[in-house]
Amino acid sequence: MEDVLAVYARPYDPARPVVCMDEKPHQLLDHARGPLPARPGHDACQDSEYIRCGTCSIFVWVEPLRGWRRVQALSQRTRIDWAGQVKQLLSVDYPDAETVVLVMDNLNTHGVASLYEAFEPEEAFALAQRLEIHHTPKHGSWLNIAETELSALTRQCLDRRIGDLDTLNTELSAWQNATNTDQRQVDWQFTTHDARIKLRHLYPKR
């Protein structure tokens, strides 16, 4: 826990940006019958029956101090998928950064080994050398700022039925562009000092 809190306390450094990532499964749902739009004197209506159209995984990447986010839905969440997302992070999003400081949970796909499964050893090594990875502790996913962003995204963008991956990514792109234009930064307030007082029951007893 203190490791992640120390990362969040670092000053902004464009050469070593702190980026948080998280992912969540999402079910694609379509209408069994077309919804009725709102009209004067009547609310919009939709049938309670729906059609299951499969599942996908939504990846969120956020740089809290810059107010930047990238969101994308993929059909699955394998090691290859995560590695591809990391390559985009380093090659497209932060091509000039010396190192990207990456905060994420300790999911089995979230590791350097995934890069070696996806790419040739030379490329995997080059990508890994530009990463400084910090994992949130078990049962400590609340420390991941990207989880908070996923919660906001769910409320603001995923509160309706979306039946296919293309439409979902169009909606996610619109949300991403709006939040990036707003440059809403995250002011993390919980410090190591706070943890040692408020969460002292989690520390080893001496």
Side-chain angles (χ1 to χ4, degrees):
M1 175 174 60
E2 291 192 3
D3 175 60
V4 174
L5 294 176
V7 169
Y8 288 163
R10 297 179 185 179
Y12 177 68
D13 182 357
R16 300 178 62 85
V18 174
V19 176
C20 304
M21 76 81 53
D22 200 6
E23 58 182 274
K24 66 169 286 185
H26 181 71
Q27 188 171 48
L28 297 169
L29 301 174
D30 204 354
H31 297 283
R33 301 171 187 82
L36 300 176
R39 53 193 175 90
H42 297 275
D43 294 330
C45 296
Q46 69 176 19
D47 197 292
S48 59
E49 186 178 353
Y50 56 84
I51 301 172
R52 298 178 187 272
C53 302
T55 60
C56 63
S57 188
I58 298 176
F59 290 80
V60 171
W61 305 80
V62 54
E63 185 186 350
L65 296 181
R66 178 178 155 208
W68 170 88
R69 294 148 184 86
R70 175 164 61 80
V71 190
Q72 186 177 8
L74 301 178
S75 58
Q76 53 189 358
R77 60 153 205 88
T78 65
R79 291 178 181 271
I80 306 298
D81 296 309
W82 182 83
Q85 289 279 303
V86 169
K87 181 176 180 178
Q88 181 174 346
L89 180 76
L90 296 173
S91 303
V92 179
D93 301 326
Y94 294 93
D96 300 322
E98 174 188 331
T99 301
V100 172
V101 182
L102 186 55
V103 177
M104 57 188 171
D105 62 25
N106 204 3
L107 198 63
N108 61 343
T109 58
H110 296 171
V112 170
S114 295
L115 299 176
Y116 282 87
E117 188 167 325
F119 309 115
E120 291 297 321
E122 294 80 6
E123 183 177 9
F125 179 77
L127 292 171
Q129 289 297 104
R130 294 183 58 215
L131 288 176
E132 179 188 324
I133 295 176
H134 297 264
H135 289 295
T136 56
K138 188 177 181 180
H139 306 305
S141 62
W142 58 273
L143 286 165
N144 190 347
I145 292 175
E147 183 175 276
T148 304
E149 292 299 312
L150 264 177
S151 178
L153 169 66
T154 300
R155 295 193 309 271
Q156 298 168 5
C157 188
L158 304 178
D159 59 347
R160 57 197 178 281
R161 294 173 188 168
I162 300 176
D164 63 88
L165 200 60
D166 289 341
T167 302
L168 175 59
N169 272 315
T170 298
E171 296 292 322
L172 294 177
S173 180
W175 182 88
Q176 169 190 297
N177 293 338
T179 53
N180 284 346
T181 298
D182 187 44
Q183 289 187 318
R184 175 171 52 83
Q185 298 172 323
V186 178
D187 184 17
W188 185 265
Q189 297 289 319
F190 194 75
T191 66
T192 300
H193 177 72
D194 295 327
R196 291 173 181 175
I197 295 174
K198 298 178 181 179
L199 301 177
R200 58 183 178 274
H201 62 283
L202 298 178
Y203 286 78
K205 300 294 190 296
R206 291 185 298 174

